[in-house]
Amino acid sequence: ECYDIGNLSNPVLLNWLSQPLMYDFFVVDTLLYTSSRDSLRIFSVSNPASPRWLGACADSGYVIYVSGSHAYLGHQAGLFILDVANPAAPHRVATLGFDVLSIWVKDTLLYFGTYDSTFRVYNVKNPASPVPVGSLSGIAPACLYMPPTCDTVVYSPAFDVISVANPAAPRRVGSVSPPGWEYSVAAVPALNYALVADYFDGLAVINMAVPQSPQIDSLLFSTGLAEEVAADGSKLYVAGLWSGLHVLDISNPAAPRQLGNVDVPGVRPSSYAVVARDSFAYIGWTPVPQFRSVSVSDPTRPTLVGGYDVTNYPEDMVLRDTLVFAAEETWFQVINVARPRQPVLVGSCTSTDGVLFGLVVQDSLAYEVSAFGLWIINVANPDSPYVVSATQDRLTAAGLAVRDTFAFIPNSHESLWVYSVANPSAPYPLAALQLRSRGYDIVLVDTLAWVGEVSGMEILSISDPTRPRSVAFSPTPYLVRRLAYREPYVYAAMSEAGVAVYDSVLAGIGEREECGRLARRLRVTAMPSVAHGAVVICVQPIENMRLSVYDAVGRDVSHGGVQPVPGDRGVKLDLAGMPDGVYLVRVQTRDEEQVVKIVKR
């Protein structure tokens, strides 16, 4: 992507290039060099809004550096030196047989780091015939940086300061260890600072006033994976894997900004669940104690103020009045936070096992899902919660939503299941809908359900809960892990992609406009799992319909004992004579086609 950064506070996307998986790129004057999975490509960016392809060759590398008329590509297969004097015809002139991590070139010297923990120096006055000069073992830099105002020092992001005043005998003169994984290093020599991109702890600012004794000055923009979001007023709380808790200002939802965070550099705290109200937030946390209270009276300086070491870290939580209900591995816990600085466990019971959980509390019941089904827990007496019912369906679910007598559960079978919970002692499945990809979480907004999935956000119409239908889909840069709704916005935790904000009002308007057209489309639903062999496929309309069934390897088994039987609301498919496994059912009309997946077990 190419941006105009004339206004640093408002970068503007000018254009983008579609490339195969890109490992690295380098810009020299008006030339752009890209190293992709299959080749080196060279473009002219004299007009940044319209890049122009010049030439390519079959060499590739994970790291690229261009100096003069030569490009240096680092790959596990070696370090390739290419003549790029003619951008239309780049070609290799030499190869060094090392598994290369990083490259820097200055004048006639080539510096590079290798996977065998060695820093090496070569003379490339004649690039076609590089000559070894010196090396230093015990250094495995993922990146190298030589300040332009200094001829004798190279920084590697471990963080090591390497003197190359004598290239034949490089030596480490100083070092300091940032707390995470270091991927890139740069410097501001005029201010005596080096900057290191740290995978866990954001940007490490290192004071280089004394190169022999570098010091970590501060850590900024703590990163990590956004696992959970909770909205309270104008604040959004983000629980992050490896980065603790972040507090965002969402008074302007179009431009959220970070106010503060709770993190412990070097510890990499993991937070999977968060709830908040007024001046306190509560988070699931590792290390112990695994339930923590956070004072957010000053959101720019959130502070850990209390905790309780529950059995396992909470994977999902609900805050109601002065109670926090927590779903953990094998346990359901109730924690009293009337005194936030001294949380107290008041009740617990054993519940569903698994790793990922979803939790909803409605009236006197808690609904919990995991890999092993839907559990309904009576919480009328928080001191003594007990399991009312537990399904045996392997839902492999991580989230759910409950409205009236219906539970909506997206799962890893790429399906949405709708359960009737009118009788909490005997919940049963009502309907199912094929999703675009694995579903993680769901929130309900009027007659729409927003489903966070592996590949994007899918919006479903649930005006008739027994016949959910997809009305819109938006791809996302990463999986949507958790959702939160605070009218009129839907907030999505997208793991490595951070947090996204959606306007639900616009989606509602769009859904109403589409209703007339969508009502005439073919709709096919089926229970995604069947235990005995007979399953009803709901099809509308059924006139002029053709139905085919395929096994997991794509063989048509429609005429091998599988017979559709007309029913009141569609057709009954009898799989009793078929072996257990996965089947795809294709329903076709003259104009349309849909496919649903069924697991016979």
Side-chain angles (χ1 to χ4, degrees):
E1 295 179 346
C2 183
Y3 289 83
D4 181 341
I5 56 171
N7 179 355
L8 293 176
S9 64
N10 184 32
V12 177
L13 178 63
L14 296 176
N15 207 336
W16 58 276
L17 292 170
S18 179
Q19 297 280 284
L21 178 62
M22 186 186 296
Y23 297 126
D24 198 9
F25 65 91
F26 203 95
V27 179
V28 179
D29 299 326
T30 62
L31 294 178
L32 166 67
Y33 303 82
T34 69
S35 181
S36 300
R37 176 171 49 197
D38 60 349
S39 63
L40 171 77
R41 290 174 168 84
I42 305 177
F43 298 85
S44 169
V45 288
S46 55
N47 178 4
S50 182
R52 181 168 52 90
W53 182 83
L54 298 177
C57 68
D59 283 320
S60 182
Y62 300 120
V63 59
I64 181 173
Y65 195 101
V66 180
S67 177
S69 60
H70 289 84
Y72 301 81
L73 296 174
H75 193 273
Q76 64 187 22
L79 194 157
F80 309 137
I81 303 178
L82 282 67
D83 186 329
V84 292
N86 178 5
H91 57 280
R92 192 194 305 186
V93 296
T95 301
L96 295 175
F98 299 102
D99 193 346
V100 178
L101 276 169
S102 52
I103 299 173
W104 194 273
V105 180
K106 188 164 188 179
D107 299 327
T108 61
L109 293 178
L110 163 66
Y111 307 93
F112 60 99
T114 58
Y115 269 95
D116 62 356
S117 300
T118 305
F119 170 77
R120 302 176 186 275
V121 185
Y122 270 67
N123 186 309
V124 287
K125 185 175 182 179
N126 177 6
S129 182
V131 177
V133 174
S135 64
L136 174 65
S137 61
I139 302 289
C143 180
L144 294 173
Y145 185 90
M146 177 173 283
T149 59
C150 179
D151 293 330
T152 61
V153 170
V154 173
Y155 302 154
S156 70
F159 175 85
D160 294 303
V161 183
I162 306 168
S163 171
V164 289
N166 178 3
R171 60 190 180 92
R172 178 164 44 190
V173 296
S175 66
V176 64
S177 296
W181 294 348
E182 295 74 52
Y183 277 96
S184 185
V185 61
V188 187
L191 301 179
N192 287 321
Y193 279 105
L195 308 174
V196 176
D198 186 292
Y199 184 74
F200 294 104
D201 292 282
L203 181 69
V205 182
I206 299 177
N207 190 319
M208 292 296 300
V210 181
Q212 293 76 21
S213 181
Q215 302 292 325
I216 297 177
D217 183 84
S218 58
L219 296 168
L220 305 173
F221 316 122
S222 179
T223 55
L225 312 186
E227 292 288 306
E228 171 74 291
V229 285
D232 182 51
S234 62
K235 307 294 187 296
L236 186 72
Y237 299 87
V238 184
L241 181 63
W242 301 323
S243 62
L245 175 71
H246 298 260
V247 185
L248 307 184
D249 180 350
I250 53 172
S251 53
N252 178 7
R257 62 187 182 90
Q258 180 161 313
L259 296 174
N261 73 293
V262 178
D263 195 0
V264 183
V267 174
R268 303 173 193 165
S270 293
S271 182
Y272 299 88
V274 59
V275 290
R277 186 172 60 232
D278 301 329
S279 57
F280 286 94
Y282 306 94
I283 55 178
W285 177 279
T286 56
V288 296
Q290 297 185 103
F291 175 85
R292 304 297 289 266
S293 303
V294 183
S295 172
V296 290
S297 54
D298 179 359
T300 65
R301 299 176 64 86
T303 307
L304 296 169
V305 294
Y308 187 90
D309 193 13
V310 290
T311 308
N312 296 297
Y313 63 82
E315 225 283 329
D316 200 7
M317 299 191 300
V318 174
L319 171 62
R320 198 169 71 175
D321 300 324
T322 60
L323 298 175
V324 173
F325 301 88
E328 307 172 13
E329 183 179 359
T330 71
W331 285 95
F332 174 81
Q333 311 266 30
V334 185
I335 303 165
N336 190 317
V337 291
R339 303 175 67 181
R341 298 174 187 274
Q342 296 177 318
V344 177
L345 182 69
V346 296
S348 64
C349 66
T350 57
S351 64
T352 179
D353 201 352
V355 177
L356 302 179
F357 301 91
L359 179 66
V360 168
V361 178
Q362 187 178 83
D363 300 324
S364 62
L365 296 172
Y367 302 83
E368 184 178 352
V369 291
S370 76
F372 298 100
L374 169 65
W375 289 52
I376 301 180
I377 301 169
N378 188 304
V379 293
N381 181 0
D383 295 343
S384 303
Y386 64 90
V387 177
V388 176
S389 63
T391 70
Q392 299 303 311
D393 302 313
R394 294 185 65 87
L395 292 172
T396 319
L400 82 161
V402 178
R403 174 183 290 172
D404 302 325
T405 60
F406 302 99
F408 302 86
I409 306 171
N411 60 44
S412 65
H413 301 303
E414 300 179 5
S415 303
L416 174 81
W417 283 20
V418 183
Y419 270 71
S420 170
V421 291
N423 179 2
S425 299
Y428 63 91
L430 285 173
L433 176 71
Q434 192 80 13
L435 300 174
R436 297 288 187 96
S437 58
R438 174 180 179 173
Y440 273 96
D441 202 9
I442 181 172
V443 293
L444 307 183
V445 183
D446 299 324
T447 61
L448 298 178
W450 292 64
V451 183
E453 302 176 13
V454 165
S455 60
M457 184 80 78
E458 189 162 1
I459 302 178
L460 314 176
S461 171
I462 54 169
S463 53
D464 179 356
T466 66
R467 295 183 179 181
R469 56 185 175 84
S470 179
V471 297
F473 180 82
S474 175
T476 55
Y478 209 77
L479 65 86
V480 182
R481 179 66 183 86
R482 288 286 192 199
L483 299 173
Y485 174 62
R486 178 58 60 95
E487 187 178 4
Y489 300 104
V490 174
Y491 300 91
M494 293 186 180
S495 195
E496 290 190 16
V499 175
V501 184
Y502 293 85
D503 188 333
S504 68
V505 174
L506 296 177
I509 293 173
E511 192 271 338
R512 285 189 287 273
E513 289 175 348
E514 292 288 306
C515 276
R517 182 176 64 84
L518 288 170
R520 296 191 296 271
R521 292 180 57 187
L522 173 67
R523 298 200 306 274
V524 181
T525 57
M527 284 306 301
S529 180
V530 55
H532 303 294
V535 59
V536 174
I537 308 284
C538 298
V539 182
Q540 288 192 348
I542 61 174
E543 311 87 57
N544 302 316
M545 179 199 72
R546 296 194 306 276
L547 183 147
S548 304
V549 183
Y550 299 87
D551 64 13
V553 296
R555 293 175 298 197
D556 188 340
V557 295
S558 304
H559 304 294
V562 178
Q563 296 296 325
V565 180
D568 294 336
R569 296 171 55 190
V571 297
K572 180 184 290 184
L573 193 65
D574 187 1
L575 300 178
M578 306 301 295
D580 290 354
V582 177
Y583 294 91
L584 298 177
V585 181
R586 174 181 292 170
V587 180
Q588 296 170 295
T589 66
R590 184 178 62 182
D591 302 316
E592 298 177 82
E593 174 183 303
Q594 283 196 18
V595 177
V596 294
K597 181 170 66 177
I598 296 173
V599 180
K600 182 176 184 293
R601 54 183 175 81

PDB file of all heavy atoms in Angstrom, residues 336-360:
ATOM      1  N   ASN A 336     -18.492 -12.101  44.356  1.00  0.00           N
ATOM      2  CA  ASN A 336     -19.107 -10.873  44.866  1.00  0.00           C
ATOM      3  C   ASN A 336     -18.089  -9.739  44.806  1.00  0.00           C
ATOM      4  O   ASN A 336     -17.000  -9.845  45.376  1.00  0.00           O
ATOM      5  CB  ASN A 336     -19.586 -11.078  46.314  1.00  0.00           C
ATOM      6  CG  ASN A 336     -20.440  -9.925  46.809  1.00  0.00           C
ATOM      7  OD1 ASN A 336     -20.117  -8.768  46.576  1.00  0.00           O
ATOM      8  ND2 ASN A 336     -21.525 -10.250  47.495  1.00  0.00           N
ATOM      9  N   VAL A 337     -18.451  -8.649  44.104  1.00  0.00           N
ATOM     10  CA  VAL A 337     -17.545  -7.506  43.969  1.00  0.00           C
ATOM     11  C   VAL A 337     -18.178  -6.258  44.570  1.00  0.00           C
ATOM     12  O   VAL A 337     -17.911  -5.135  44.142  1.00  0.00           O
ATOM     13  CB  VAL A 337     -17.158  -7.271  42.492  1.00  0.00           C
ATOM     14  CG1 VAL A 337     -16.280  -8.393  41.983  1.00  0.00           C
ATOM     15  CG2 VAL A 337     -18.392  -7.099  41.611  1.00  0.00           C
ATOM     16  N   ALA A 338     -19.040  -6.447  45.594  1.00  0.00           N
ATOM     17  CA  ALA A 338     -19.612  -5.288  46.283  1.00  0.00           C
ATOM     18  C   ALA A 338     -18.490  -4.412  46.842  1.00  0.00           C
ATOM     19  O   ALA A 338     -18.601  -3.183  46.879  1.00  0.00           O
ATOM     20  CB  ALA A 338     -20.549  -5.748  47.399  1.00  0.00           C
ATOM     21  N   ARG A 339     -17.409  -5.061  47.259  1.00  0.00           N
ATOM     22  CA  ARG A 339     -16.182  -4.357  47.659  1.00  0.00           C
ATOM     23  C   ARG A 339     -15.121  -4.727  46.631  1.00  0.00           C
ATOM     24  O   ARG A 339     -14.429  -5.745  46.769  1.00  0.00           O
ATOM     25  CB  ARG A 339     -15.766  -4.761  49.065  1.00  0.00           C
ATOM     26  CG  ARG A 339     -16.854  -4.499  50.103  1.00  0.00           C
ATOM     27  CD  ARG A 339     -16.457  -5.017  51.461  1.00  0.00           C
ATOM     28  NE  ARG A 339     -15.332  -4.281  52.026  1.00  0.00           N
ATOM     29  CZ  ARG A 339     -14.777  -4.550  53.193  1.00  0.00           C
ATOM     30  NH1 ARG A 339     -15.227  -5.568  53.927  1.00  0.00           N
ATOM     31  NH2 ARG A 339     -13.764  -3.829  53.642  1.00  0.00           N
ATOM     32  N   PRO A 340     -14.971  -3.930  45.566  1.00  0.00           N
ATOM     33  CA  PRO A 340     -14.113  -4.312  44.432  1.00  0.00           C
ATOM     34  C   PRO A 340     -12.677  -4.618  44.811  1.00  0.00           C
ATOM     35  O   PRO A 340     -12.021  -5.433  44.151  1.00  0.00           O
ATOM     36  CB  PRO A 340     -14.193  -3.093  43.506  1.00  0.00           C
ATOM     37  CG  PRO A 340     -15.483  -2.428  43.869  1.00  0.00           C
ATOM     38  CD  PRO A 340     -15.629  -2.638  45.346  1.00  0.00           C
ATOM     39  N   ARG A 341     -12.193  -3.984  45.863  1.00  0.00           N
ATOM     40  CA  ARG A 341     -10.798  -4.216  46.253  1.00  0.00           C
ATOM     41  C   ARG A 341     -10.633  -5.516  47.027  1.00  0.00           C
ATOM     42  O   ARG A 341      -9.511  -5.960  47.275  1.00  0.00           O
ATOM     43  CB  ARG A 341     -10.278  -3.036  47.071  1.00  0.00           C
ATOM     44  CG  ARG A 341     -10.289  -1.737  46.275  1.00  0.00           C
ATOM     45  CD  ARG A 341      -9.914  -0.529  47.124  1.00  0.00           C
ATOM     46  NE  ARG A 341     -10.100   0.712  46.373  1.00  0.00           N
ATOM     47  CZ  ARG A 341      -9.206   1.248  45.575  1.00  0.00           C
ATOM     48  NH1 ARG A 341      -8.026   0.661  45.446  1.00  0.00           N
ATOM     49  NH2 ARG A 341      -9.461   2.374  44.936  1.00  0.00           N
ATOM     50  N   GLN A 342     -11.765  -6.132  47.411  1.00  0.00           N
ATOM     51  CA  GLN A 342     -11.729  -7.392  48.139  1.00  0.00           C
ATOM     52  C   GLN A 342     -12.780  -8.343  47.572  1.00  0.00           C
ATOM     53  O   GLN A 342     -13.768  -8.672  48.232  1.00  0.00           O
ATOM     54  CB  GLN A 342     -11.959  -7.156  49.639  1.00  0.00           C
ATOM     55  CG  GLN A 342     -10.859  -6.330  50.294  1.00  0.00           C
ATOM     56  CD  GLN A 342     -11.162  -6.061  51.758  1.00  0.00           C
ATOM     57  OE1 GLN A 342     -12.293  -5.749  52.132  1.00  0.00           O
ATOM     58  NE2 GLN A 342     -10.142  -6.203  52.598  1.00  0.00           N
ATOM     59  N   PRO A 343     -12.621  -8.798  46.327  1.00  0.00           N
ATOM     60  CA  PRO A 343     -13.602  -9.720  45.750  1.00  0.00           C
ATOM     61  C   PRO A 343     -13.646 -11.032  46.531  1.00  0.00           C
ATOM     62  O   PRO A 343     -12.625 -11.495  47.042  1.00  0.00           O
ATOM     63  CB  PRO A 343     -13.092  -9.925  44.321  1.00  0.00           C
ATOM     64  CG  PRO A 343     -11.638  -9.586  44.373  1.00  0.00           C
ATOM     65  CD  PRO A 343     -11.488  -8.526  45.416  1.00  0.00           C
ATOM     66  N   VAL A 344     -14.859 -11.603  46.605  1.00  0.00           N
ATOM     67  CA  VAL A 344     -15.049 -12.816  47.403  1.00  0.00           C
ATOM     68  C   VAL A 344     -15.818 -13.839  46.570  1.00  0.00           C
ATOM     69  O   VAL A 344     -16.835 -13.512  45.951  1.00  0.00           O
ATOM     70  CB  VAL A 344     -15.837 -12.518  48.693  1.00  0.00           C
ATOM     71  CG1 VAL A 344     -16.094 -13.809  49.470  1.00  0.00           C
ATOM     72  CG2 VAL A 344     -15.084 -11.513  49.557  1.00  0.00           C
ATOM     73  N   LEU A 345     -15.334 -15.080  46.567  1.00  0.00           N
ATOM     74  CA  LEU A 345     -16.051 -16.161  45.904  1.00  0.00           C
ATOM     75  C   LEU A 345     -17.223 -16.574  46.778  1.00  0.00           C
ATOM     76  O   LEU A 345     -17.055 -16.944  47.938  1.00  0.00           O
ATOM     77  CB  LEU A 345     -15.119 -17.356  45.673  1.00  0.00           C
ATOM     78  CG  LEU A 345     -15.728 -18.556  44.945  1.00  0.00           C
ATOM     79  CD1 LEU A 345     -16.017 -18.208  43.492  1.00  0.00           C
ATOM     80  CD2 LEU A 345     -14.789 -19.762  45.018  1.00  0.00           C
ATOM     81  N   VAL A 346     -18.455 -16.523  46.217  1.00  0.00           N
ATOM     82  CA  VAL A 346     -19.634 -16.839  47.017  1.00  0.00           C
ATOM     83  C   VAL A 346     -20.301 -18.142  46.597  1.00  0.00           C
ATOM     84  O   VAL A 346     -21.086 -18.715  47.350  1.00  0.00           O
ATOM     85  CB  VAL A 346     -20.659 -15.685  46.959  1.00  0.00           C
ATOM     86  CG1 VAL A 346     -20.078 -14.426  47.586  1.00  0.00           C
ATOM     87  CG2 VAL A 346     -21.115 -15.424  45.541  1.00  0.00           C
ATOM     88  N   GLY A 347     -20.039 -18.626  45.384  1.00  0.00           N
ATOM     89  CA  GLY A 347     -20.680 -19.853  44.955  1.00  0.00           C
ATOM     90  C   GLY A 347     -20.001 -20.429  43.733  1.00  0.00           C
ATOM     91  O   GLY A 347     -19.375 -19.701  42.952  1.00  0.00           O
ATOM     92  N   SER A 348     -20.119 -21.743  43.540  1.00  0.00           N
ATOM     93  CA  SER A 348     -19.533 -22.382  42.370  1.00  0.00           C
ATOM     94  C   SER A 348     -20.161 -23.747  42.170  1.00  0.00           C
ATOM     95  O   SER A 348     -20.785 -24.305  43.084  1.00  0.00           O
ATOM     96  CB  SER A 348     -18.010 -22.516  42.513  1.00  0.00           C
ATOM     97  OG  SER A 348     -17.696 -23.376  43.597  1.00  0.00           O
ATOM     98  N   CYS A 349     -20.019 -24.256  40.966  1.00  0.00           N
ATOM     99  CA  CYS A 349     -20.425 -25.626  40.672  1.00  0.00           C
ATOM    100  C   CYS A 349     -19.611 -26.104  39.482  1.00  0.00           C
ATOM    101  O   CYS A 349     -19.077 -25.305  38.715  1.00  0.00           O
ATOM    102  CB  CYS A 349     -21.924 -25.728  40.387  1.00  0.00           C
ATOM    103  SG  CYS A 349     -22.465 -24.874  38.887  1.00  0.00           S
ATOM    104  N   THR A 350     -19.496 -27.404  39.346  1.00  0.00           N
ATOM    105  CA  THR A 350     -18.795 -27.946  38.185  1.00  0.00           C
ATOM    106  C   THR A 350     -19.670 -27.773  36.955  1.00  0.00           C
ATOM    107  O   THR A 350     -20.905 -27.811  37.032  1.00  0.00           O
ATOM    108  CB  THR A 350     -18.467 -29.432  38.376  1.00  0.00           C
ATOM    109  OG1 THR A 350     -19.676 -30.152  38.637  1.00  0.00           O
ATOM    110  CG2 THR A 350     -17.504 -29.636  39.531  1.00  0.00           C
ATOM    111  N   SER A 351     -19.035 -27.527  35.813  1.00  0.00           N
ATOM    112  CA  SER A 351     -19.799 -27.303  34.587  1.00  0.00           C
ATOM    113  C   SER A 351     -19.030 -27.894  33.421  1.00  0.00           C
ATOM    114  O   SER A 351     -18.142 -28.729  33.601  1.00  0.00           O
ATOM    115  CB  SER A 351     -20.067 -25.810  34.379  1.00  0.00           C
ATOM    116  OG  SER A 351     -18.856 -25.104  34.182  1.00  0.00           O
ATOM    117  N   THR A 352     -19.308 -27.404  32.241  1.00  0.00           N
ATOM    118  CA  THR A 352     -18.764 -27.998  31.026  1.00  0.00           C
ATOM    119  C   THR A 352     -17.253 -27.839  30.928  1.00  0.00           C
ATOM    120  O   THR A 352     -16.682 -26.850  31.393  1.00  0.00           O
ATOM    121  CB  THR A 352     -19.426 -27.392  29.782  1.00  0.00           C
ATOM    122  OG1 THR A 352     -18.878 -27.956  28.605  1.00  0.00           O
ATOM    123  CG2 THR A 352     -19.249 -25.891  29.731  1.00  0.00           C
ATOM    124  N   ASP A 353     -16.606 -28.804  30.325  1.00  0.00           N
ATOM    125  CA  ASP A 353     -15.161 -28.791  30.143  1.00  0.00           C
ATOM    126  C   ASP A 353     -14.843 -28.127  28.802  1.00  0.00           C
ATOM    127  O   ASP A 353     -15.726 -27.791  28.027  1.00  0.00           O
ATOM    128  CB  ASP A 353     -14.621 -30.216  30.168  1.00  0.00           C
ATOM    129  CG  ASP A 353     -13.137 -30.269  30.495  1.00  0.00           C
ATOM    130  OD1 ASP A 353     -12.523 -29.203  30.548  1.00  0.00           O
ATOM    131  OD2 ASP A 353     -12.611 -31.380  30.676  1.00  0.00           O
ATOM    132  N   GLY A 354     -13.562 -27.958  28.538  1.00  0.00           N
ATOM    133  CA  GLY A 354     -13.160 -27.385  27.264  1.00  0.00           C
ATOM    134  C   GLY A 354     -12.135 -26.300  27.436  1.00  0.00           C
ATOM    135  O   GLY A 354     -11.525 -26.152  28.490  1.00  0.00           O
ATOM    136  N   VAL A 355     -11.949 -25.519  26.375  1.00  0.00           N
ATOM    137  CA  VAL A 355     -10.971 -24.435  26.391  1.00  0.00           C
ATOM    138  C   VAL A 355     -11.656 -23.083  26.174  1.00  0.00           C
ATOM    139  O   VAL A 355     -11.446 -22.136  26.913  1.00  0.00           O
ATOM    140  CB  VAL A 355      -9.891 -24.658  25.316  1.00  0.00           C
ATOM    141  CG1 VAL A 355      -8.922 -23.493  25.299  1.00  0.00           C
ATOM    142  CG2 VAL A 355      -9.152 -25.963  25.573  1.00  0.00           C
ATOM    143  N   LEU A 356     -12.514 -23.006  25.147  1.00  0.00           N
ATOM    144  CA  LEU A 356     -13.228 -21.772  24.853  1.00  0.00           C
ATOM    145  C   LEU A 356     -14.651 -21.871  25.388  1.00  0.00           C
ATOM    146  O   LEU A 356     -15.302 -22.910  25.271  1.00  0.00           O
ATOM    147  CB  LEU A 356     -13.255 -21.516  23.344  1.00  0.00           C
ATOM    148  CG  LEU A 356     -11.899 -21.431  22.651  1.00  0.00           C
ATOM    149  CD1 LEU A 356     -12.092 -21.206  21.164  1.00  0.00           C
ATOM    150  CD2 LEU A 356     -11.049 -20.333  23.250  1.00  0.00           C
ATOM    151  N   PHE A 357     -15.148 -20.765  25.957  1.00  0.00           N
ATOM    152  CA  PHE A 357     -16.477 -20.769  26.548  1.00  0.00           C
ATOM    153  C   PHE A 357     -17.235 -19.512  26.147  1.00  0.00           C
ATOM    154  O   PHE A 357     -16.651 -18.476  25.838  1.00  0.00           O
ATOM    155  CB  PHE A 357     -16.403 -20.812  28.083  1.00  0.00           C
ATOM    156  CG  PHE A 357     -15.676 -22.001  28.633  1.00  0.00           C
ATOM    157  CD1 PHE A 357     -14.322 -21.952  28.876  1.00  0.00           C
ATOM    158  CD2 PHE A 357     -16.352 -23.179  28.892  1.00  0.00           C
ATOM    159  CE1 PHE A 357     -13.634 -23.049  29.379  1.00  0.00           C
ATOM    160  CE2 PHE A 357     -15.675 -24.277  29.385  1.00  0.00           C
ATOM    161  CZ  PHE A 357     -14.328 -24.218  29.630  1.00  0.00           C
ATOM    162  N   GLY A 358     -18.562 -19.615  26.208  1.00  0.00           N
ATOM    163  CA  GLY A 358     -19.432 -18.458  26.067  1.00  0.00           C
ATOM    164  C   GLY A 358     -20.431 -18.470  27.207  1.00  0.00           C
ATOM    165  O   GLY A 358     -20.874 -19.547  27.645  1.00  0.00           O
ATOM    166  N   LEU A 359     -20.814 -17.294  27.704  1.00  0.00           N
ATOM    167  CA  LEU A 359     -21.666 -17.216  28.886  1.00  0.00           C
ATOM    168  C   LEU A 359     -22.682 -16.095  28.733  1.00  0.00           C
ATOM    169  O   LEU A 359     -22.342 -14.983  28.318  1.00  0.00           O
ATOM    170  CB  LEU A 359     -20.812 -16.974  30.135  1.00  0.00           C
ATOM    171  CG  LEU A 359     -21.544 -16.851  31.474  1.00  0.00           C
ATOM    172  CD1 LEU A 359     -22.206 -18.176  31.839  1.00  0.00           C
ATOM    173  CD2 LEU A 359     -20.583 -16.406  32.576  1.00  0.00           C
ATOM    174  N   VAL A 360     -23.941 -16.382  29.083  1.00  0.00           N
ATOM    175  CA  VAL A 360     -25.017 -15.401  29.134  1.00  0.00           C
ATOM    176  C   VAL A 360     -25.784 -15.631  30.428  1.00  0.00           C
ATOM    177  O   VAL A 360     -26.036 -16.790  30.805  1.00  0.00           O
ATOM    178  CB  VAL A 360     -25.972 -15.533  27.927  1.00  0.00           C
ATOM    179  CG1 VAL A 360     -27.238 -14.711  28.134  1.00  0.00           C
ATOM    180  CG2 VAL A 360     -25.273 -15.105  26.642  1.00  0.00           C
TER     181      VAL A 360
END
